[in-house]
Amino acid sequence: MPFNLLPACFLNVYMAKIRFLLPVLLIPYVMLAQTKSPETRLKELGLQLPEAAQPVASYVNYVKTGNLLFLSGHAYCGQATTVDHGKLGKDLTSTQGYEAARRTTLCLLATLTEATGGDLNRVKRIVKVLGMVNSAEDFTEQSKVINGCSDLLVEVFGEKGKHARSAVGMAALPGNLAVEIEMVVELRED
């Protein structure tokens, strides 16, 4: 009997079974994705970590206390691009700010790699992100900008990359940076 001639009650039962089975069939694929190392995910995304930036004043890039790693506020690493400096809502769009946040996150990941001795598998969880956005007075899309950071962390770490977050607007940032982001990370036991 052709599919389109089946009585509606059979079709409803069939669709209910598919809705039940689809998640069960996808579980192995989700599990496989979660077992990939962060370094493998970065390669699959076509991303390469820059060299970690060195502090420019009397502070350090990170402090470890217990199993928590506190990363200082970071900006982009390496050569500046057109998205790295400027005020959101005046000089830059939210889309450009999103890209600036992704670039800044790569710098955070470079420092995190340094802090973990080159092994991002030591990351148990990204705990907290504080994203500061250089904002024009009427700019209100700070969360869209810092999504550039949050999205990349989830792409790289999967569920372990989901975190608590604040995205705030600032009247200015040092050197007219577009974004500055700091992060707290929980590490696995040594």
Side-chain angles (χ1 to χ4, degrees):
M1 172 182 298
F3 186 74
N4 61 350
L5 297 178
L6 287 174
C9 65
F10 289 119
L11 187 58
N12 289 339
V13 169
Y14 178 74
M15 294 305 290
K17 287 182 180 181
I18 287 178
R19 272 191 230 115
F20 172 75
L21 287 175
L22 191 59
V24 172
L25 294 172
L26 291 177
I27 287 173
Y29 296 104
V30 172
M31 298 288 282
L32 180 63
Q34 291 179 353
T35 61
K36 291 182 180 178
S37 74
E39 290 84 1
T40 299
R41 289 190 187 142
L42 283 166
K43 285 180 188 171
E44 289 175 353
L45 292 168
L47 298 173
Q48 185 174 1
L49 295 181
E51 191 171 316
Q54 296 307 307
V56 294
S58 298
Y59 66 92
V60 294
N61 276 340
Y62 59 88
V63 170
K64 183 176 182 286
T65 181
N67 288 345
L68 292 179
L69 187 68
F70 293 80
L71 281 76
S72 295
H74 280 57
Y76 67 93
C77 290
Q79 193 68 25
T81 68
T82 57
V83 302
D84 296 317
H85 293 275
K87 196 170 280 292
L88 275 290
K90 178 182 174 193
D91 309 316
L92 300 169
T93 66
S94 295
T95 302
Q96 290 171 312
Y98 181 96
E99 183 60 32
R102 278 182 78 87
R103 286 177 42 79
T104 298
T105 305
L106 289 174
C107 193
L108 282 162
L109 292 174
T111 298
L112 183 56
T113 299
E114 182 181 284
T116 59
D119 184 8
L120 291 176
N121 282 316
R122 289 193 53 215
V123 172
K124 185 172 182 180
R125 166 160 216 139
I126 305 297
V127 177
K128 173 84 163 113
V129 166
L130 169 59
M132 296 162 275
V133 180
N134 187 356
S135 301
E137 187 176 314
D138 59 347
F139 184 76
T140 60
E141 296 184 347
Q142 290 82 4
S143 60
K144 289 181 181 178
V145 170
I146 301 304
N147 282 346
C149 172
S150 297
D151 292 349
L152 183 55
L153 290 172
V154 172
E155 288 172 38
V156 172
F157 292 103
E159 285 297 311
K160 297 185 300 185
K162 292 185 177 178
H163 51 272
R165 185 183 89 177
S166 299
V168 296
M170 300 291 185
L173 287 173
N176 198 33
L177 291 169
V179 298
E180 182 176 347
I181 302 173
E182 58 184 54
M183 186 164 69
V184 179
V185 179
E186 182 182 8
L187 300 176
R188 297 192 183 287
E189 297 287 336
D190 289 331

